[in-house]
Amino acid sequence: MKVTVVGDTLLDVDVHGTAERLSPDGPVPVVDVHTTTQRAGGAGLVASMLMGDGHEVELVTALADDDAGGRLRACLAGIRLVGSPSGAATPVKTRIKVGEHAVARVDEGCGDPGIPHIDDATLDAVQRAEVLVVADYGRGLLSDERLRRALEERGHRVPLVWDPHPRGSAPVASTTVATPNLAEATAAAGVPGSDVPSAARAAVILRERWGCPVAVTLGERGALLLDDAGLPVVLPTRPMTAADPCGAGDRLSSAVATSLAAGATLESAVRAGVEEAALYLAAGGAASIGSTPTPRMLTIRPDAERVIADVRRRHGTVVATGGCFDLLHAGHARVLASARALGDCLVVCVNSDSSIARLKGPQRPIMGEKDRVELLLALECVDAVAVFDEATPEALLERLRPDVWVKGGDYSTADLPEARLIETWGGQTVIVPIYPGHSTTALAAALARVG
């Protein structure tokens, strides 16, 4: 899918280090720098996310011809740039982090840049767009009247998702859906409060003012969408903790746009956006964008590594098990409950859809991985789920390093290649009995008989 992203682009720099002493010059921590990484921010982050999803991406933005601008262009390699000249320095936001926590942020060139010059190439890119994502970061690009007219016209023909900014411009009326966060929505609407009823009141006001549907993102509570009748619908997300939520709104808006372009209804598209934002945070957030590609086993929900770390801090026992779980049945539930009883948390390693198809043929899986994960997480005995794309979970186990690996069935540990891997860090493999008469194959056959 070809996606056109329009908006303000900046350079994000993350400085990671440790702090073990205070400066003699004042009561501030001394950060010993270990690594420094940089990536595109703002609309550039949205474009990088979409390219990472395999889409063809065109980024319509304003770029300065300075050193930071050169580094920003390098971060956007592989993305077609349509860059109007910027009359201001490239904005750079540097976050200094110790562990998972930011201790300071240094901003450069982040003052008012004025409205950049919009050239004909910018307008042409909007007019030929197949799906549009607007990422307004309040730096003037979306204030240009020629660009706004082009967006208004194109928004009547293709999906247009607009992520607004408190210092930015209002969405054009042809916007398919605007996606402000709760603080942005209540501030723009002049509604006090930070709860779901406040979000609903703000959404009603903003839809009337902007002339387009509004979905207010609610962080760990999901999102609130006004349906076609003007009634608020809350679309929840699963519980998730994240040290740095930066970029979650960008992830949501990009997923909403591609879902709409694929034919989803507005409610289904926003649901997909909520889900993708949660997965993005579980995978590490913005730090996972533009870095060295990693196996798809990073699809972990909730954050299995965080769950494991919490258990290990309490000197508890980490248990893991795995399988396809193509049709969840009572036999699965009993094995999972038995596994959970062996320790203080249970992480379930699940074959991805493509992994199952390679193992069992093109007619499998019966249920997609999102549904399988959701059903597993609904079980009280399951603390986290990790999806892996390989034939076996060995690479994922190497990363998670559980104390106990559980398999259900009539195996011996000698039959399991992962058993030898578990032993390398002092773990053990445990076989728990399966329950006769309960199998995915039998259940699938029974369903086929009744149609």
Side-chain angles (χ1 to χ4, degrees), residues 37-100:
T37 59
Q38 54 190 13
R39 63 180 180 276
L45 178 60
V46 178
S48 298
M49 291 173 176
L50 288 162
M51 185 179 70
D53 291 340
H55 299 295
E56 180 185 352
V57 183
E58 187 169 65
L59 174 58
V60 178
T61 188
L63 295 172
D65 188 16
D66 54 14
D67 175 70
R71 288 184 282 146
L72 182 52
R73 285 180 173 85
C75 293
L76 294 166
I79 296 170
R80 184 174 187 274
L81 297 178
V82 181
S84 296
S86 173
T90 299
V92 182
K93 295 184 178 181
T94 302
R95 295 172 177 83
I96 302 173
K97 297 183 176 182
V98 174
E100 295 183 346

Side-chain angles (χ1 to χ4, degrees), residues 300-318:
I300 297 176
R301 38 204 148 162
D303 189 342
E305 291 173 316
R306 193 182 303 274
V307 169
I308 289 170
D310 289 343
V311 169
R312 292 210 162 114
R313 274 194 293 270
R314 301 193 304 268
H315 305 289
T317 299
V318 175

Side-chain angles (χ1 to χ4, degrees), residues 52 59 124 129 134 247 256 271 273 277 319 345 350 354 361 366 368 402 430 444 451:
L59 174 58
D124 291 343
V134 171
V256 171
R271 285 187 187 276
V319 182
C345 74
V350 178
S354 58
I366 299 167
V430 175

Side-chain angles (χ1 to χ4, degrees), residues 360-371:
K360 302 193 175 186
Q363 302 304 314
R364 302 287 292 271
I366 299 167
M367 288 198 306
E369 66 191 58
K370 288 187 177 181
D371 289 339

Side-chain angles (χ1 to χ4, degrees), residues 123 141-153 162 169-173:
L123 302 178
L141 182 72
L142 276 307
S143 299
D144 182 88
E145 286 303 321
R146 295 175 70 209
L147 179 57
R148 293 182 63 81
R149 284 195 297 271
L151 289 166
E152 171 72 30
E153 179 182 343
W162 193 298
S169 302
V172 297

